[in-house]
Amino acid sequence: CVGDNGRVYVVGSVEGTVGTEPRVGGVDMCLACYDANGSNQWTRVFGTSDQPDRACGVACATNGDVLVVGHTWGNMGGATNQGQYDFVIACFTPAGSNRWTRSWGSDNADRAYAVALDPAGDIYVAGDARGTIDAESPVGGRDVCLTRLTADGQRIWTSMWGSSLDDTAYGVALG
């Protein structure tokens, strides 16, 4: 996403030290901030010490915060992993400090790939789930999952839909 002052934010997963940011575990989440001229301003590597963590989506909030979504097989955001991969969302300040991190999921594999914000600041996280989340259950092997959260990352609702086979959401946009 492109944030305030033309800053560009990129997310991904890394398996080693990036600049001065040390490795946390096996596969870690990574957020990098670049200025409008392409110079790296800061990089953050985060995740769990012994499980794979993947950052897949990023969105810029109107207050300058940066939201990163992905999935982890470990315990993040003060929550115990529910089983296999769980959804993760992390909020960073424009200076790169972690404001908060939340994780949630089912007893099966759940993966977040995309994030968007509405004008009120509510957050929408899209991906897929293989198990029941917030009383929503998949109809197939893996179904599209959309969760709405407050601006501070508290879940409001979750919705799932799909076919009898595997279905995934890779993007979310609000109009």
Side-chain angles (χ1 to χ4, degrees):
C1 67
V2 178
D4 61 337
N5 299 323
R7 290 185 174 182
V8 177
Y9 298 92
V10 179
V11 296
S13 299
V14 297
E15 294 186 35
T17 299
V18 178
T20 60
E21 285 289 307
R23 179 179 178 197
V24 179
V27 178
D28 297 320
M29 296 178 164
C30 183
L31 169 65
C33 173
Y34 295 88
D35 68 16
N37 297 317
S39 295
N40 182 264
Q41 300 302 293
W42 50 260
T43 300
R44 300 294 179 261
V45 174
F46 57 103
T48 58
S49 62
D50 60 346
Q51 300 295 336
D53 311 302
R54 303 196 188 284
C56 301
V58 61
C60 294
T62 56
N63 69 352
D65 284 350
V66 181
L67 298 165
V68 177
V69 297
H71 36 277
T72 182
W73 205 305
N75 301 328
M76 284 186 77
T80 301
N81 181 274
Q82 299 300 302
Q84 299 183 20
Y85 279 118
D86 283 348
F87 290 105
V88 173
I89 183 167
C91 179
F92 289 86
T93 66
S97 297
N98 181 258
R99 190 178 300 282
W100 50 260
T101 301
R102 310 277 189 259
S103 66
W104 70 99
S106 71
D107 61 354
N108 214 314
D110 314 304
R111 301 173 301 183
Y113 291 109
V115 59
L117 293 102
D118 68 18
D122 282 353
I123 305 161
Y124 296 80
V125 176
D128 60 48
R130 285 191 177 269
T132 301
I133 300 176
D134 297 337
E136 288 285 317
S137 298
V139 296
R142 175 176 61 230
D143 279 357
V144 169
C145 184
L146 177 67
T147 299
R148 182 180 180 187
L149 303 102
T150 63
D152 64 348
Q154 303 303 313
R155 289 196 319 272
I156 299 171
W157 52 255
T158 296
S159 181
M160 282 190 219
W161 66 97
S163 69
S164 61
L165 300 174
D166 287 342
D167 311 296
T168 300
Y170 291 108
V172 60
L174 302 170

